[in-house]
Every structure is written in C-alpha cells, then in structure tokens.
Amino acid sequence: MPYTKIYGVLGYPAKHSLSPVMHNAAFKALRINAEYKIFEIEPSELNIFLSSLAKNNIFGLNVTVPYKEKVMPSLDSISSEAELIGAVNTIKVSKSRLEGFNTDGSGFLKSLSEDLNFEPKGKNIAILGAGGAAKAVSVCLSKTKPKAIAIYDIDKPKLMALVSHLKKIFGDVNYAAVNSVAELDMPNLDLLINATPIGMKDSDPCLVNPDALHSKLLVYDLIYNPAETKLLALAKEVGAKVSNGLGMLLHQGALSFELWTDKKAPVKVMREVLEKEVRKL
Ligand code: NAP
C-alpha cells in the first residue's frame, strides 16, 4: 500500500475539533494520500511528541489550546507573522525541520472580506477580548492600516500587554485600551469583533448594551457554536450585517492546507463539510 502522509491537530483537549472532517474532505477531494488525525497530547509528553514527528510520518500539524505558544521553542523556524502574533497554529515538517506559521489572523481577514465584504483600511474597529485569538486578529487587522482599534478585556494586564505590543509595532494605528464596553464609541464604530468566549453558553449575556447596536455596524463573532450568539441575534435585529466565526475556521484551515501541500485548498468542499458538521453540534 502506498504510504499515507499523516497530518493532525495537536491540543489538550482536542477531541471536539472540526479540523479532521475539514482536512480529510480536502485530501479526498484532491486525491491526496493523507490522513488528518487528532493528537490529544498531555503537557508532559509535548516535547517527545514534537521531536518524533518526522519519525512518525507526520508532515504537518494544526496547534490549538494550550500549545500555540508552548510549541515555539521547539521549532526550527517561525514565520514573521507568527512571531508578531507570538503564537503558532500551523507546523510544517519539511525534511525533518519544523516550520511554524500562524494562519488565524489571515484566515480571519479572508473571512471578513468574503463574509462581510469589509475592507478595514481607515475604519474604526473594536475588539472584545485580548486573548490568543484577539492577538492574531488585531495584528493582522493592524497590517491593513485601520484608523483605530479599541480593545476591551476583563483581564487588565493582558489587555495592557496587547495594546502596548501593538503600539510598538504599528505606529500609524490609533489604539485604545478601554476599561468597559460602555466606553466604546459605538455610534462611530464600523466593525465590532467578539474574541471572548462569552456567547458560547446559552446563559451568557450579550457584552454590549443592545441599545448601542446600530444598522451601520458590522459585527463579527469568532464563536461558531452556537451559529448565532446573542450578540449576533441582537445586532441582526437592528439591521447590522453579521458573521459568525465559521469562515475564520475555514480559511485558517485552508491556509494551513496550502502550506502543507503547496496545492490550492478546495475551499468549497471544506466549507460544505464544516457547515454540515456544525449543524450536528
Ligand atoms: P482566550 O485566549 O482565553 O482569550 C479570551 C479572552 O477573553 C481572555 O483574555 C478572557 O479573560 C477574556 N474574557 C473572558 N470573559 C470576558 C468578559 N466577560 N469580558 C471581557 N473579556 C472576557 O481565548 P481565545 O483562544 O482567544 O478564543 C476566544 C474565542 O474565540 C473563543 O470563543 C474561541 O472559541 C474563539 N475562536 C474562534 C476561532 C475561529 O476560527 N473561529 C479561532 C480561535 C478562537 P480571562 O482569561 O480573564 O477569562
């Protein structure tokens, strides 16, 4: 039997990842002899796992919580974007060398353009959350030269660290760390992004006062399960254009696929299986 290249998602936990269905459908569509697996690896076994990738026929990985930063010291090279974001979500094994990339922010930008037809240059943007996803999103948004980015997080040290990191790199964007959602200049906001996990549970509140939402606003929630968070439902009610995070998941995966295979990802096939899978959740 011709040998099968192995790819997979590394995380802990990682069992509920939608990446295997998406990538296995892509391999099948392009008739690539490869299989995408779940690697739920305990923290104590991380280094051994990473040092034996080539030996185990593993050609590429997606990296998820809690390892996006932890894998970095074990890599032979890191892309400039992943370096700026400070996290790696994609590893390519190339002649036993481990190369790190981050496709989260670029995947987000692709989805923003495709799903909301939004061009961030010169716009006023607010991000709720200053964690890993917010970091990738804010770095990639900053590269497109928006006018201003305001960020809010309950974790003040994390918020301040992200804003000062961004200020150091992107001198031409006006950044603000806000102490509460009420401080956001909602009437002049073009794009509101939720990069907190608030909205995943039915009991979660909407972080924004519904009265502040308006029809000229675009709202992007990184959450894709549920497909419609309270924030998105309320924004839709006032006529705002909205998107959930499925497009980001799709495009970060498609970009990883292209890094591993040097082939154009079959995005339509990947989107179809993802949408089908999400309906089952
Ligand atoms: P994270 O690193 O834990 O960051 C989330 C941040 O939100 C943390 O700083 C957290 O603070 C903060 N937060 C929690 N509750 C808050 C509240 N009530 N008000 C303000 N800030 C609050 O998580 P992440 O990896 O960035 O992921 C964030 C969300 O994005 C998750 O829902 C995840 O599923 C989603 N995501 C989607 C995609 C996609 O492809 N669509 C990709 C990545 C992530 P504490 O740490 O103090 O709680």
Side-chain angles (χ1 to χ4, degrees), residues 65 68 104 129-134 152-155 158 195-198 200 207 222-224 245-246 248-249 252:
V65 181
K68 287 187 180 186
D104 281 333
Y152 164 70
D153 196 292
I154 35 168
D155 184 330
K158 207 189 280 181
T196 75
I198 305 300
M200 293 179 86
L207 288 179
L222 265 58
I223 295 170
Y224 50 82
L246 201 68
M248 175 175 173
L249 179 71
Q252 62 77 32

Side-chain angles (χ1 to χ4, degrees), residues 146-197:
K147 185 173 171 195
I149 301 183
I151 308 179
Y152 164 70
D153 196 292
I154 35 168
D155 184 330
K156 297 303 169 217
K158 207 189 280 181
L159 170 65
M160 298 319 290
L162 176 57
V163 170
S164 76
H165 174 70
L166 292 166
K167 275 183 180 167
K168 260 185 246 154
I169 311 166
F170 304 100
D172 44 2
V173 183
N174 202 354
Y175 296 103
V178 299
N179 282 314
S180 73
V181 179
E183 271 180 38
L184 293 173
D185 182 12
M186 294 294 289
N188 292 312
L189 207 58
D190 299 300
L191 173 67
L192 173 70
I193 300 162
N194 179 35
T196 75

